[in-house]
Amino acid sequence: MDKTYIEGASVTRGSGTEEYGGQLALWGVIPLWRAAPPPDTVLTLRKPTPSDCWPFSGSYGEILIELTRNVQIKAISLEHIRPDSARSAPKNFTFYGILENGTWVNVAEGEYNGKGPAKQYYRFNWSLPLKKIIFRILSNQGNTKYTCLYRVHFYGK
């Protein structure tokens, strides 16, 4: 795995979430060019720069984050580039942990402050180890066309 990514994690877009930009294909079949970065861009460790995000259509969407092993997560951070001027930044969100038996548990919810620092931290209110996490964005800072996710990082043991 590329060392610029969080080791042992993968990201896929959630059900009903459409990438903004998507792919261009020859005859609708042969992929020619990817207009949007892949969802795992949110796990990169590099400092975000403009357009170094995963965009999805509208203001509501989700990603599924899978870890290679169970991890006891204590907090998460969301980071956006220049949040004070970015209407595409997430606003209200919820994190769900998925237990071994498939049960969804609400482990964190919050609001990304569009006038706050670029990187903002949120505590998890769950102490059991998790292997799968759903990050659901409920709204953004006002962009009706798309939302841009720059970085989502986890902290724990």
Side-chain angles (χ1 to χ4, degrees):
M1 179 172 251
D2 186 340
K3 292 187 192 268
T4 62
Y5 285 82
I6 294 175
E7 188 175 333
S10 64
V11 178
T12 54
R13 66 183 167 97
S15 61
T17 303
E18 292 185 34
E19 290 180 333
Y20 184 78
Q23 291 187 21
L24 297 177
L26 182 63
W27 300 299
V29 178
I30 303 167
L32 296 175
W33 178 60
R34 185 174 180 86
D40 64 359
T41 299
V42 304
L43 296 179
T44 58
L45 298 172
R46 66 184 175 265
K47 183 175 174 76
T49 57
S51 301
D52 185 23
C53 69
W54 179 65
F56 62 87
S57 294
S59 62
Y60 177 90
E62 67 182 30
I63 55 174
L64 169 64
I65 301 165
E66 294 190 63
L67 307 169
T68 56
R69 60 184 169 78
N70 285 327
V71 177
Q72 188 175 357
I73 299 168
K74 300 285 189 184
I76 54 108
S77 66
L78 296 181
E79 188 171 10
H80 199 278
I81 190 105
R82 298 208 47 202
D84 60 333
S85 64
R87 293 181 43 210
S88 66
K91 186 173 184 182
N92 296 303
F93 62 85
T94 302
F95 278 90
Y96 295 96
I98 302 175
L99 304 178
E100 296 286 333
N101 66 6
T103 303
W104 286 35
V105 179
N106 184 330
V107 293
E109 51 188 48
E111 182 175 322
Y112 184 84
N113 181 351
K115 300 202 183 305
K119 191 171 200 175
Q120 299 176 25
Y121 297 86
Y122 307 88
R123 292 215 175 273
F124 266 42
N125 56 13
W126 185 260
S127 59
L128 293 178
L130 299 169
K131 191 171 180 179
K132 292 182 182 178
I133 299 154
I134 298 283
F135 176 38
R136 184 172 287 165
I137 297 89
L138 306 172
S139 63
N140 67 21
Q141 303 289 328
N143 188 323
T144 58
K145 292 184 181 180
Y146 66 93
T147 302
C148 238
L149 285 181
Y150 277 86
R151 302 293 180 268
V152 178
H153 293 161
F154 297 92
Y155 306 90
K157 55 183 174 173

